[in-house]
């Protein structure tokens, strides 16, 4: 098994154990046994349980990043891309937290640890929004003076919605297809439409 496959196996096994038992109740020995790789192999890749926890978070963020890249590459209008990016971000975060069971509580307890790992992902996401906003501005769809500022604000607004979205406190009982037109109206109102001359 290649180095990258072995490392990924260890991360996958650790994620499953963290999700089932929680971070505190999972030991390096548990991960080594469950992976069938042994402690020596585990310590070759990770110095501590915290290191492997960071790797689990990074892997989950890579999944989200890949999905956002897919949306950004679609042949749809910048307006549609913005809405799809917002929903993809929120749905993937919720899916990640729900899928990881007991790790969910750890995620909220150690939010600053998660934020530290998220830094690289956040920068990449802001850059993705900048590209979409610049595209929309160039095509006359958005009335934006400062693309960088709007991308930063959009990113932090979405991050601020994560916890309420995960807990179902936003649009409780409504289906996504019912909420999208309202969200789109709100977002498009904020982005504006360039005046035709």
């Amino acid at each position: 098994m290649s180095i990258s496959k072995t490392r990924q196996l260890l991360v996958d096994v650790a994620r499953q154990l963290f999700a089932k038992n929680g971070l505190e109740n999972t030991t390096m020995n548990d991960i080594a046994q469950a992976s069938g790789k042994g402690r020596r192999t585990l310590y070759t890749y990770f110095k501590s349980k915290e290191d492997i926890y960071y790797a689990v978070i990074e892997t989950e963020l890579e999944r989200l990043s890949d999905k956002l890249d897919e949306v950004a590459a679609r042949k749809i209008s910048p307006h549609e891309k913005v809405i799809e990016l917002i929903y993809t971000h929120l749905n993937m975060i919720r899916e990640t937290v729900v899928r990881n069971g007991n790790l969910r509580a750890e995620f909220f307890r150690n939010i600053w640890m998660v934020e530290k790992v998220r830094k690289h992902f956040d920068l990449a996401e802001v850059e993705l929004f900048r590209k979409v906003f610049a595209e929309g501005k160039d095509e006359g769809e958005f009335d934006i003076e400062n693309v960088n500022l709007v991308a930063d604000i959009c990113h932090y607004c979405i991050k601020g919605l994560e916890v309420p979205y995960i807990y179902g406190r936003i649009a409780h009982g409504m289906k996504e297809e019912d909420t999208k037109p309202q969200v789109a109206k709100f977002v498009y109102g904020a982005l504006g439409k360039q005046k035709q001359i």
Side-chain angles (χ1 to χ4, degrees):
M1 189 177 274
S2 73
I3 290 173
S4 59
K5 285 184 180 176
T6 300
R7 186 182 187 280
Q8 191 57 51
L9 170 70
L10 294 168
V11 170
D12 290 343
V13 168
R15 186 197 62 77
Q16 291 170 28
L17 288 172
F18 293 157
K20 183 180 175 189
N21 305 324
L23 181 63
E24 290 179 17
N25 297 321
T26 302
T27 66
M28 290 292 273
N29 196 47
D30 294 335
I31 297 166
Q33 284 183 333
S35 69
K37 292 294 177 185
R39 288 174 56 89
R40 181 177 288 172
T41 301
L42 180 59
Y43 280 102
T44 299
Y45 293 95
F46 303 100
K47 295 175 188 167
S48 67
K49 186 167 62 170
E50 287 69 30
D51 281 352
I52 201 163
Y53 177 63
Y54 285 136
V56 167
I57 295 169
E58 285 173 351
T59 300
E60 294 298 301
L61 291 173
E62 285 170 13
R63 288 178 63 244
L64 172 55
S65 186
D66 290 346
K67 287 288 186 186
L68 293 174
D69 288 343
E70 286 175 22
V71 171
R74 287 186 197 158
K75 300 292 183 205
I76 56 178
S77 73
H79 271 133
E80 292 171 293
K81 278 185 191 177
V82 170
I83 300 304
E84 290 304 314
L85 286 169
I86 291 169
Y87 274 88
T88 299
H89 175 111
L90 292 173
N91 287 330
M92 286 294 294
I93 289 286
R94 181 175 56 198
E95 175 194 314
T96 298
V97 171
V98 169
R99 181 170 77 92
N100 285 298
N102 286 326
L103 197 52
R104 174 176 46 212
E106 194 65 37
F107 176 88
F108 291 117
R109 234 188 344 264
N110 286 325
I111 198 71
W112 295 115
M113 185 188 291
V114 172
E115 283 299 308
K116 182 178 173 185
V117 179
R118 266 184 87 154
K119 191 174 184 179
H120 175 73
F121 164 77
D122 286 350
L123 292 172
E125 185 178 41
V126 169
E127 187 56 35
L128 198 60
F129 273 105
R130 283 184 184 130
K131 288 178 184 174
V132 173
F133 290 141
E135 177 186 349
K137 181 179 180 179
D138 292 346
E139 292 177 11
E141 283 195 41
F142 302 150
D143 183 15
I144 299 173
E145 289 180 33
N146 188 318
V147 168
N148 292 342
L149 176 62
V150 172
D152 287 341
I153 291 170
C154 185
H155 169 74
Y156 284 108
C157 286
I158 296 166
K159 276 185 77 168
L161 293 172
E162 288 175 359
V163 173
Y165 194 80
I166 290 166
Y167 283 127
R169 294 182 185 145
I170 296 176
H172 181 68
M174 293 181 72
K175 295 179 181 167
E176 190 172 302
E177 58 267 17
D178 297 329
T179 64
K180 273 189 178 180
Q182 289 300 307
V183 171
K185 188 175 181 179
F186 178 80
V187 170
Y188 299 164
L191 294 174
K193 176 87 170 108
Q194 290 236 349
K195 295 183 178 107
Q196 299 297 321
I197 300 175

